[in-house]
Amino acid sequence: MKWKAFAVALAVVLVGIGAVAIPRGTGAPAAKPEALNRLDQVVQRGELRVCSTGDYRPYTYRDAAGAWSGIDIDMAHDLAGKLGVRAVIVPTTWKTLMRDFEAKCDIAVGGVSITLERAKQAFFSRAYAVDGKTPITRCENAERFQTLEQIDRPGVRVIVNPGGTNEQFARANLRQATIVEHPDNNTIFEQIVAGNADLMMTDAAETKWQAKQHPELCSVHPDQPFTFAEKAYLVPRGDVVFQQYVDQWLNLALHDGTYDRISGPWIG
């Protein structure tokens, strides 16, 4: 009986201690509020910050007066409209794209190719176009530059815009040809027209667009490029909420006529 009395007394003491340690009605500690994801941040801020280079038609272009145009610029405005915010275009370059995107932007657009190196630093949306590297040259030279073996010869001058996948591809595949850097992708094709370079290897979509603008230039086998690549939009790494929203918006745009309506005037 003494042991039973002791056990009862101990239970009363423990209950009393518990009542002091956790006052009635307080319950468990309150959970910390969730940090805002990028989707909520954009909506609260009232603007979508869009990084773009402005030098890669038909996807992105910034003219001398500072006006922006292009398939992906219009698509970015459509995305902002769906979010009920305004799009603010932030200029960048291919060389500084990843740094500027991480520091200044919610999304990056403008013919951005999916690469594993970029995927280390950011998420990609679903792909919206398939592309690949192919040559563009003066039409009289088109037969001379059908293969990489024909291009990678002494005396052949291959022009590149520094910092992007065009330069990476050229440096990875050319050992004998001369690589010529030209910093302005908006005027780089005039260098080929003027005879200051023999060719450029860039995405097939760009070669077709530029060939339309410059009758002297021909796109070389754009339907059979040297590489396979996909175009997508860069979104912040780790933010699945924002990535999912962008993916759903893009999926609808690709199937409800939005993308065709926007891209039609540029690529037909």
Side-chain angles (χ1 to χ4, degrees):
M1 294 297 292
K2 289 181 179 180
W3 284 106
K4 288 184 179 180
F6 175 76
V8 171
L10 180 60
V12 171
V13 171
L14 292 175
V15 170
I17 292 173
V20 172
I22 306 177
R24 184 176 296 178
T26 60
K32 292 182 179 179
E34 290 186 14
L36 288 179
N37 56 65
R38 190 59 63 100
L39 178 62
D40 294 334
Q41 291 175 18
V42 168
V43 173
Q44 285 196 7
R45 191 191 310 128
E47 64 180 30
L48 178 71
R49 299 171 304 186
V50 182
C51 273
S52 199
T53 61
D55 64 354
Y56 184 19
R57 288 176 286 185
Y59 297 109
T60 177
Y61 178 60
R62 189 186 191 194
D63 66 22
W68 291 84
S69 61
I71 295 171
D72 282 355
I73 299 300
D74 289 344
M75 287 292 288
H77 282 287
D78 184 80
L79 172 60
K82 296 296 191 301
L83 288 165
V85 302
R86 68 189 185 104
V88 176
I89 312 300
V90 179
T92 186
T93 68
W94 292 110
K95 200 167 188 176
T96 63
L97 173 63
M98 298 308 300
R99 182 172 71 242
D100 289 342
F101 168 66
E102 290 178 332
K104 305 175 184 178
C105 295
D106 306 303
I107 191 168
V109 310
V112 180
S113 297
I114 297 176
T115 69
L116 293 178
E117 192 61 33
R118 287 170 177 160
K120 292 178 182 178
Q121 303 174 67
F123 277 0
F124 281 99
S125 71
R126 63 163 291 175
Y128 63 88
V130 176
D131 217 330
K133 302 301 180 190
T134 206
I136 182 170
T137 185
R138 291 184 63 90
C139 292
E140 63 264 27
N141 294 325
E143 291 301 317
R144 289 179 53 203
F145 301 129
Q146 293 286 315
T147 68
L148 283 172
E149 290 74 20
Q150 290 176 310
I151 293 169
D152 191 20
R153 293 178 177 176
V156 176
R157 300 161 300 166
V158 179
I159 198 165
V160 300
N161 52 317
T165 56
N166 292 337
E167 181 186 20
Q168 293 169 13
F169 178 76
R171 295 196 183 282
N173 289 278
L174 303 180
R175 296 291 179 268
Q176 301 181 78
T178 300
I179 295 177
V180 180
E181 290 190 12
H182 186 76
D184 184 2
N185 205 43
N186 282 322
T187 61
I188 200 168
F189 298 94
E190 281 80 356
Q191 297 299 306
I192 305 172
V193 173
N196 297 325
D198 295 306
L199 74 143
M200 179 179 180
M201 291 184 291
T202 185
D203 294 319
E206 185 176 34
T207 65
K208 290 190 286 187
W209 164 260
Q210 292 295 340
K212 288 182 180 179
Q213 313 312 306
H214 304 284
E216 306 93 335
L217 300 182
C218 283
S219 174
V220 180
H221 52 63
D223 297 325
Q224 296 179 307
F226 294 139
T227 63
F228 166 83
E230 291 180 310
K231 302 298 184 185
Y233 301 134
L234 280 175
V235 294
R237 189 176 76 167
D239 197 327
V240 177
V241 173
F242 188 58
Q243 182 193 39
Q244 286 292 307
Y245 184 89
V246 172
D247 276 350
Q248 295 307 317
W249 159 78
L250 184 52
N251 182 57
L252 291 172
L254 290 170
H255 291 90
D256 68 6
T258 299
Y259 188 82
D260 289 341
R261 172 179 55 79
I262 288 174
S263 64
W266 291 89
I267 59 177

